[in-house]
Amino acid sequence: CSAVELHSIAEYSRHRHGSCVLKATMHAKLTISLAVALLYVPLGAAYYSATKLRKYLPAPAAPNHVSDPTSSLSPQTFAFVDSALQDIKREVLVSCGGVSRGYEVAVGVLGTSQTLGIDGDDESTIVTASADLLDEWGVGHKDCNNGVTLLLALGDRKVGIFAGKGATGLMTNRVRSRIIKKMTDELKATRDHDVALRDAVAFIGDALNGDTSELFKWTAEDYVNYAIWGCVAIWGCVYLADAAYNRCKDKVRQRRLQRTLERIDEADLQAAAEEATGAAARFNATDCPICLEELPGTPGAAAGNTNETLLLRCGHSLCSQCAGEWFGRGVDRAGIWYPLGEGGKPTGCPVCRTDTRIEGQDPDHHNGDDAGAGGGGGGAGGGGA
Ligand SMILES: [Zn+2]
Ligand SMILES: [Zn+2]
């Protein structure tokens, strides 16, 4: 602001409250947001500090395979796990470059994952940290890359397992995920990290021996999950089958109606129409019996009504909207409207209960025909065989 020449107090005041103040505010805002951004980056979901990993989790002192710098494990568990891992290295061998080498499994135990700067809600970054641990500690033979690392954060019950390329054949993604899940479930249920770690190391030993039967044995939770999925699947199948059956039934009904319409004599339809028209003249109805509105086409009908008046074979009339709601779909023949008799809909007139379908449309009348046709087909098939 000093570079600008100011000629009066008023000008100075305008200036002060104008661009200079604005610039200063923007500057401050920018600085604050930058600071906030810097503050949040370390707390971001996929962040952890490799420096802290090196600093707080030194490699196990040879010949040990477990690093527990905060002495969180009981001495018994430390001894059990460490000797189990030494057994694996001695006895569970893999051939690489013509030489048999033992799998190397190392375990790191942390107070909490926040020690590495991992966010409290972040469940997956600890796996990345366990991968870096493999390189950092040099777990596995360098020719075989057959190391496995397990990183356990006790305070927030997080587990990461990583396997080098030479070990992923047995320590597959599925195996690692299952062990992690079993371990975190156990930690959450019992908070007994000694038992959880012993079990996990036993599962890793089994897996490297090619045996995952115990690991994938169904738990009560699995049974519940599969039962739920089974029920959902069965319900879905029943629903689809029911929908298909109903569609099929509707098609059959429509074909039957078509056949009926073809069979019915035009003269019969005309006779029915005359009878209905005569009855309608006697009833002399002007209102729809359902909605009680003036029927379209009668002198008192409301203007702009897009409904039609439908005459049923009994001589009663409905507006087309009410007919649709009452009967479902229908067909018009010689001036009479006949309902199709679709599933679940009534076929009787709402006023006099007369069956309003076309004569002979009742499905019961045709069951004999269908059975006869089916039997004939079966007979022909039998003859061919
Ligand atoms: Zn109506
Ligand atoms: Zn009627």
Side-chain angles (χ1 to χ4, degrees), residues 12-359:
Y12 169 75
S13 173
R14 263 204 310 280
H15 197 82
R16 214 182 72 121
H17 293 289
S19 59
C20 269
V21 176
L22 194 73
K23 258 186 201 160
T25 319
M26 277 175 67
H27 204 96
K29 270 187 184 163
L30 206 70
T31 314
I32 289 169
S33 39
L34 210 70
V36 167
L38 282 173
L39 198 74
Y40 269 96
V41 164
L43 301 176
Y47 174 85
Y48 94 96
S49 161
T51 318
K52 286 180 173 166
L53 183 73
R54 277 194 289 276
K55 184 173 170 193
Y56 295 116
L57 205 53
N64 290 346
H65 288 248
V66 181
S67 173
D68 179 20
T70 52
S71 299
S72 304
L73 301 176
S74 71
Q76 292 85 349
T77 299
F78 188 97
F80 174 91
V81 170
D82 201 71
S83 79
L85 300 182
Q86 293 191 36
D87 286 352
I88 289 174
K89 191 180 179 191
R90 210 170 36 245
E91 290 161 17
V92 188
L93 306 177
V94 60
S95 166
C96 55
V99 187
S100 282
R101 312 253 185 219
Y103 284 105
E104 254 181 70
V105 184
V107 171
V109 183
L110 278 171
T112 67
S113 67
Q114 279 96 323
T115 313
L116 305 180
I118 293 176
D119 179 23
D121 298 328
D122 177 9
E123 297 287 340
S124 61
T125 306
I126 195 159
V127 176
T128 315
S130 67
D132 287 351
L133 206 60
L134 189 100
D135 295 332
E136 190 60 40
W137 289 357
V139 183
H141 193 278
K142 62 177 171 19
D143 296 339
C144 315
N145 195 8
N146 62 343
V148 176
T149 45
L150 187 155
L151 182 53
L152 168 63
L154 292 172
D156 44 350
R157 299 185 284 277
K158 282 181 191 151
V159 183
I161 298 178
F162 185 80
K165 278 243 157 52
T168 46
L170 291 164
M171 286 293 292
T172 59
N173 199 8
R174 185 162 164 262
V175 167
R176 280 174 281 147
S177 305
R178 179 81 171 182
I179 296 175
I180 289 174
K181 181 165 188 321
K182 275 194 171 280
M183 235 184 137
T184 43
D185 283 354
E186 195 158 349
L187 287 169
K188 276 168 191 157
T190 66
R191 292 171 187 264
D192 188 342
H193 53 256
D194 284 313
V195 172
L197 184 59
R198 285 169 186 231
D199 286 354
V201 167
F203 283 134
I204 291 174
D206 284 350
L208 291 174
N209 269 310
D211 175 14
T212 54
S213 55
E214 192 68 28
L215 180 61
F216 288 106
K217 201 182 258 178
W218 280 24
T219 61
E221 193 192 344
D222 291 327
Y223 279 109
V224 170
N225 280 338
Y226 281 102
I228 290 169
W229 281 113
C231 287
V232 169
I234 290 168
W235 179 83
C237 287
V238 167
Y239 178 83
L240 288 176
D242 188 56
Y245 173 70
N246 279 331
R247 263 203 308 279
C248 179
K249 221 164 68 178
D250 269 357
K251 275 218 178 81
V252 168
R253 205 177 276 125
Q254 271 174 23
R255 267 209 302 278
R256 206 169 265 160
L257 178 68
Q258 197 60 42
R259 280 207 303 272
T260 310
L261 287 173
E262 282 161 10
R263 207 164 37 225
I264 285 175
D265 197 46
E266 201 57 35
D268 285 350
L269 286 172
Q270 283 300 336
E274 270 162 36
E275 204 179 309
T277 318
R282 282 198 305 282
F283 297 147
N284 195 23
T286 55
D287 299 344
C288 168
I290 294 180
C291 64
L292 306 178
E293 296 282 323
E294 302 272 351
L295 282 165
T298 58
N305 190 339
T306 53
N307 270 345
E308 288 173 77
T309 298
L310 302 180
L311 177 60
L312 305 175
R313 55 178 293 187
C314 58
H316 290 117
S317 298
L318 300 178
C319 74
S320 53
Q321 190 184 337
C322 291
E325 281 163 19
W326 181 266
F327 292 113
R329 291 180 299 168
V331 287
D332 200 88
R333 284 291 179 279
I336 308 291
W337 189 83
Y338 299 97
L340 291 179
E342 284 177 315
K345 293 283 190 182
T347 53
C349 165
V351 182
C352 66
R353 306 286 159 197
T354 302
D355 191 331
T356 56
R357 289 174 295 177
I358 284 181
E359 207 84 63

